[in-house]
Each structure stands twice: as C-alpha cells, then as structure tokens.
Amino acid sequence: SQTIHQWPATLVQPVGSPLSLECTVEGTSNPNLYWYRQAAGRGLQLLFYSVGIGQISSEVPQNLSASRPQDRQFILSSKKLLLSDSGFYLCAWSGTGLNTEAFFGQGTRLTVV
Amino acid sequence: TQLLEQSPQFLSIQEGENLTVYCNSSSVFSSLQWYRQEPGEGPVLLVTVVTGGEVKKLKRLTFQFGDARKDSSLHITAAQPGDTGLYLCAGAFGSGNTGKLIFGQGTTLQVKP
C-alpha cells in the first residue's frame, strides 16, 4: 500500500533562518507531488507541483522553492524565512490519471518567530 | 489562473437541518473532488465526479457536477454533529497529466447538537 511521510510535524524557526521540509512517498512510482500551504480554517494554496524528477511548477511568487531530487521525494526549502512564511504546510501525492485522488501527509506547522 | 470559489465560507446549523455547499469556477474541470479535513490533519477524499451532470451519493451526502463541468455542489441531509469539519472542493485542470490540482477556500461546517 502507498504511504506518504512528511516531517517534521512542528517547527519553530527564527526569521532569516533556512528551511527544509521533506516529503517521501512509498508504494508507488512516478507520482504527481504537491506542496500546499493552508491558513487556519481555510483552503489550500498550491505552492508547487511536480510531474517528474527535476520538474517543478511554481504557482505563486514567494520566498520558497521546491526540489524533486528523486522520484518519490519532494523538498520545500527557503534560504531565509520571513514571518509571513508561518503556516500549515501539506505535502500530497496523486496518480497521473485525471481522476485520481490526492493523498496528504500529516502536515507541518511552521512558526517563524 | 484557475480559481475555485467556494461558498459559504462558514456555516453553523442545528442537528437535523439540511445544507448545501457550492464550488464554482470560470474554468472547465477535467474532474472535481470533495474532501473533508479535521483540525491538524490532511484532507481526506469524499468523492470524485467526472462527467457533466453526474450525481453521486454517499449516505446523507449528495454531490453534483454541473453540466458544463464548471461547478459542483455538496448537499448534506439531516446534518449530524459528526459532520462538523472543513469541506474542500478541488479541481483538476487540463487534458492529460498536467499535475495541477487546485483547491477552493473551504467551508467550515459546525453542526450543533
């Protein structure tokens, strides 16, 4: 069966520090991968998505970047965090068909102080 | 840029009442999904609709896809406190595997006993 792992679950970082959130998927190959950010009680804002190794699409200009160094690994990074980067970050994967569902990790609560 | 407008954003009702949540876009979806999310967790899929005019039922939940595949609705009959949560619609756009999955802003539902 497929599983998705996202870590860490919570993170408190000072302004100006770097960030690296990692997400890995098991039990499937060539998944679509996603990074979303969610404000409290609100919808998911698509940050990045990837259909293959090294292929990253960015949805919004921001202080973050994403990389996919391996087929089932998706990394969200920042060189210098801003206060506005605080939020709930969710990694997800889906199959490559049009009708397949997205499966989400447990999320990372990032607080920039 | 594809956008999904979800309404209402907040809904507080008494147990036993009916409700409808709407999801609209100016773009055509290749498929549309409805998710439910609990606090501190990732969203979980409820249903996927693909064909224009399609209606799917999941116990007391009825999902409808608009004929033009630009809108969808979620109707809950005789709501229960266990239905409380954040409901999200998500649309896949484009033909083939574009990888892009956009979410609406979410509807927070509170069902009071």
Side-chain angles (χ1 to χ4, degrees), chain B residues 10-22:
Chain B
F10 303 98
L11 199 53
S12 181
I13 61 174
Q14 293 296 132
E15 180 176 1
E17 293 183 4
N18 302 331
L19 67 115
T20 301
V21 178
Y22 300 92

Side-chain angles (χ1 to χ4, degrees), chain A residues 44-71:
Chain A
L44 278 64
Q45 179 188 30
L46 180 61
L47 302 177
F48 301 95
Y49 63 98
S50 171
V51 298
I53 296 174
Q55 300 179 60
I56 308 294
S57 296
S58 174
E59 276 297 287
V60 293
Q62 57 203 320
N63 186 41
L64 302 168
S65 62
S67 61
R68 185 171 178 172
Q70 301 181 46
D71 180 45

Side-chain angles (χ1 to χ4, degrees), chain B residues 75-111:
Chain B
H75 183 79
I76 301 179
T77 303
Q80 304 294 312
D83 295 327
T84 294
L86 179 65
Y87 290 82
L88 298 156
C89 63
F93 294 90
S95 58
N97 180 30
T98 65
K100 196 168 184 178
L101 186 62
I102 301 294
F103 279 77
Q105 308 99 310
T107 295
T108 299
L109 171 64
Q110 181 186 39
V111 182

Side-chain angles (χ1 to χ4, degrees), chain A:
Chain A
S1 63
Q2 302 91 354
T3 56
I4 179 169
H5 303 280
Q6 180 183 345
W7 68 93
T10 59
L11 191 60
V12 180
Q13 291 284 99
V15 169
S17 64
L19 172 74
S20 180
L21 302 182
E22 189 164 343
C23 175
T24 59
V25 180
E26 297 177 355
T28 188
S29 59
N30 196 32
N32 290 341
L33 296 172
Y34 308 87
W35 279 111
Y36 291 91
R37 179 167 56 201
Q38 185 176 32
R42 301 306 305 277
L44 278 64
Q45 179 188 30
L46 180 61
L47 302 177
F48 301 95
Y49 63 98
S50 171
V51 298
I53 296 174
Q55 300 179 60
I56 308 294
S57 296
S58 174
E59 276 297 287
V60 293
Q62 57 203 320
N63 186 41
L64 302 168
S65 62
S67 61
R68 185 171 178 172
Q70 301 181 46
D71 180 45
R72 291 169 288 179
Q73 183 184 27
F74 207 23
I75 298 172
L76 183 68
S77 304
S78 174
K79 292 182 179 179
K80 290 184 177 181
L81 283 169
L82 306 172
L83 287 174
S84 58
D85 291 324
S86 294
F88 189 52
Y89 289 84
L90 286 159
C91 178
W93 76 271
S94 74
T96 55
L98 293 176
N99 309 326
T100 57
E101 68 179 285
F103 297 88
F104 286 83
Q106 287 296 300
T108 297
R109 175 73 58 192
L110 172 65
T111 303
V112 183
V113 296

Side-chain angles (χ1 to χ4, degrees), chain B residues 6-51:
Chain B
Q6 200 171 331
S7 62
Q9 293 187 18
F10 303 98
L11 199 53
S12 181
I13 61 174
Q14 293 296 132
E15 180 176 1
E17 293 183 4
N18 302 331
L19 67 115
T20 301
V21 178
Y22 300 92
C23 182
N24 296 285
S25 176
S26 59
S27 302
V28 175
F29 308 137
S30 55
S31 68
L32 189 135
Q33 301 166 354
W34 285 93
Y35 292 78
R36 182 163 172 263
Q37 184 180 18
E38 299 290 342
E41 299 181 4
V44 176
L45 182 74
L46 295 174
V47 77
T48 299
V49 286
V50 177
T51 306

Side-chain angles (χ1 to χ4, degrees), chain B residues 61-82:
Chain B
L61 279 61
T62 301
F63 305 85
Q64 187 162 5
F65 202 12
D67 292 340
R69 294 189 291 142
K70 291 184 178 182
D71 58 275
S72 180
S73 64
L74 158 60
H75 183 79
I76 301 179
T77 303
Q80 304 294 312

